[in-house]
Amino acid sequence: MTRDILNNRISIPGGYVDSDNPADAAIRETLEETGVPVEAVGELARMNNAILFDCRATSPIPVLKTDTDKARVAAWQAEHFGREVRAVYLMKPNQEMLDNARFPEQVEMFPALVPLASPSPIQLFDDFSRLSSPFNTWNASLNRDFQQAIDALPSSLAKTVSVFLDYASALGSGVLFFLLIPVALATGGLKRLAQLLFVTVAVTVVVAFGKLFFAVPRPFYLFPELQLASASGFAFPSGHTATAFAIWGLIYTWLNHARKVTVAVWLIPAVLVALSRVYLGVHYVTDVLAGAVLGALAVLGAQRLTASILTTRFWLVLGALIVPFALTQIQPTFLYCAAFSLTFAGTLAITNQQFKGQTNTPMGWKGFLVALAGMVALAAGLYFVSQISNSSIEILIASTMTVALLAVWLGFVTPRWCQPHD
């Protein structure tokens, strides 16, 4: 079973039939999504426009030993891992599968179909360290050393530190980018908003590309006992750490602009996030170091580009730079960032004419509430679509339209309602 990136639901590998015949498409999709080479033995069932095939693995499937009905499959070398697929599991049909199924009607058929399917060879592993590089194995030993150092503390202190680091990880959540949007408009107007949006897009694109390009498996993929928090996809660089250094760096510069504050406002929360990601077993030390550098460079870049960051040309160029990634990488993140950047460029062409010279004017509570209301409404609409649709294409289109509408709301609607007129 695969867990989908777009809607976070689980399903058997599959996709649309293009030029292939259905059996060849089943073989191709299984290899691309799971990394497991298979042969199509025959059809198991037909329902509506779907064909379910009996596929047999032609080489042993690498599966992690477990006492549960859900075992992780070493699938990080699959072409679509981290692009369309979050994780791959070997599962028995159960209620969890049904509750999280992308196609529940198929899952309901599994108990009857599984006995009819051809068995596939399986290779069980205590851990997947043999399937990765010696450097990653060594790197994971640093995670283990850190966890053991915390565990060696007196029990009450160890529990406190563990819980603290677990919660500290939230200081690098990508949600903070969106939570800061109304704050930026309220306190610094369009100029501050543009800084935040540039940092958000830059960090998101570079982190996403880095993960796909380097394709480094997370520490707990190699050693499951290291996992103390949920995560998916690849490890390098750390998105949480990059986000933390970017977000708290921006907050530091904003506060420092009003009155001098200590750099600890930036470093303490950001470093805590880096430590938490290593402790939780979801990132190596090298991941968080790279994330820290990336986040800091994004903030410095936003400061250096202040003079042009609110021009239409700047966002057109930024969007144009992202478009090739959106066209060549099977990962929706690039499409969203390109759509947002290009749409925001269009809104600025209008807004800058209407509010020329007032881009630094704070929009106050009105700007805060208008921006927040629009964001909540758009998020609710996208959530509704994701719940009623099983189509990845429909969800992808809805998500792209949502980020484009967000650009219009922030770059045109909110200033029109909240920016003071001459």
Side-chain angles (χ1 to χ4, degrees):
M1 303 297 293
T2 65
R3 185 174 289 276
D4 189 76
I5 280 182
L6 282 173
N7 54 27
N8 203 32
R9 296 180 182 176
I10 59 176
S11 65
I12 56 176
Y16 291 98
V17 179
D18 299 321
S19 59
D20 304 320
N21 63 54
D24 289 341
I27 294 172
R28 183 197 71 233
E29 291 289 337
T30 303
L31 180 62
E32 289 177 346
E33 295 185 8
T34 70
V36 178
V38 299
E39 58 183 358
V41 178
E43 292 185 18
L44 282 176
R46 291 191 177 217
M47 48 190 309
N48 300 323
N49 295 324
I51 304 176
L52 302 181
F53 280 94
D54 173 17
C55 292
R56 179 172 53 217
T58 58
S59 63
I61 304 172
V63 178
L64 192 69
K65 290 181 181 178
T66 181
D67 295 328
T68 68
D69 290 340
K70 183 168 108 175
R72 184 178 292 275
V73 175
W76 59 80
Q77 294 180 341
E79 182 181 350
H80 290 178
F81 189 87
R83 291 173 166 87
E84 293 182 357
V85 176
R86 291 182 185 273
V88 179
Y89 303 101
L90 188 65
M91 299 179 64
K92 291 183 179 179
N94 55 22
Q95 190 61 41
E96 179 194 359
M97 184 187 294
L98 186 61
D99 292 341
N100 295 279
R102 182 177 171 191
F103 302 104
E105 66 277 8
Q106 293 182 2
V107 174
E108 291 173 350
M109 299 174 62
F110 287 173
L113 294 179
V114 169
L116 304 177
S118 302
S120 292
I122 294 175
Q123 184 176 5
L124 294 176
F125 288 83
D126 291 318
D127 61 60
F128 288 141
S129 58
R130 283 187 292 158
L131 303 181
S132 188
S133 67
F135 177 77
N136 288 339
T137 301
W138 169 82
N139 222 345
S141 70
L142 301 180
N143 296 79
R144 181 179 290 105
D145 291 342
F146 189 25
Q147 290 183 356
Q148 290 176 348
I150 300 297
D151 292 340
L153 298 172
S155 58
S156 59
L157 180 58
K159 184 176 181 180
T160 300
V161 172
S162 176
V163 172
F164 176 75
L165 288 175
D166 190 13
Y167 280 106
S169 188
L171 296 173
S173 171
V175 176
L176 293 177
F177 281 130
F178 294 95
L179 294 179
L180 272 187
I181 285 175
V183 175
L185 281 168
T187 61
L190 284 173
K191 182 65 70 72
R192 185 164 288 182
L193 171 68
Q195 287 182 336
L196 172 63
L197 295 178
F198 166 72
V199 168
T200 303
V201 171
V203 167
T204 301
V205 168
V206 176
V207 166
F209 180 74
K211 287 181 182 293
L212 298 180
F213 182 80
F214 293 102
V216 177
R218 293 181 182 271
F220 69 80
Y221 288 176
L222 308 187
F223 300 101
E225 69 275 10
L226 295 177
Q227 185 174 12
L228 301 179
S230 60
S232 61
F234 294 112
F236 184 91
S238 168
H240 271 71
T241 306
T243 298
F245 273 84
I247 286 294
W248 295 100
L250 278 178
I251 292 174
Y252 165 73
T253 60
W254 295 349
L255 293 175
N256 203 47
H257 180 74
R259 61 181 183 276
K260 293 297 180 181
V261 294
T262 174
V263 74
V265 171
W266 181 354
L267 294 182
I268 289 178
V271 171
L272 280 175
V273 171
L275 292 174
S276 73
R277 303 309 281 174
V278 174
Y279 171 72
L280 295 173
V282 296
H283 281 293
Y284 305 102
V285 171
T286 48
D287 300 340
V288 300
L289 290 175
V293 171
L294 172 59
L297 288 177
V299 174
L300 295 176
Q303 298 301 307
R304 290 291 184 92
L305 296 169
T306 297
S308 59
I309 206 167
L310 204 52
T311 63
T312 299
R313 178 181 296 179
F314 177 89
W315 287 93
L316 279 176
V317 170
L318 182 61
L321 290 174
I322 302 171
V323 165
F325 297 100
L327 295 176
T328 60
Q329 300 296 316
I330 308 174
Q331 223 284 5
T333 299
F334 302 109
L335 177 60
Y336 302 155
C337 289
F340 182 91
S341 299
L342 295 175
T343 307
F344 193 63
T347 65
L348 290 180
I350 302 173
T351 303
N352 283 337
Q353 289 297 320
Q354 294 185 352
F355 303 105
K356 191 173 183 180
Q358 297 180 338
T359 56
N360 287 321
T361 305
M363 297 185 188
W365 279 105
K366 186 177 181 181
F368 180 95
L369 294 175
V370 170
L372 182 62
M375 291 166 56
V376 170
L378 290 171
L382 181 58
Y383 176 78
F384 176 75
V385 171
S386 68
Q387 294 302 303
I388 64 173
S389 175
N390 289 324
S391 169
S392 295
I393 293 180
E394 289 178 358
I395 295 174
L396 182 65
I397 293 173
S399 300
T400 305
M401 291 179 61
T402 297
V403 298
L405 289 173
L406 177 62
V408 173
W409 186 267
L410 297 176
F412 176 73
V413 177
T414 304
R416 188 175 180 84
W417 286 358
C418 306
Q419 194 86 330
H421 295 262
D422 291 334

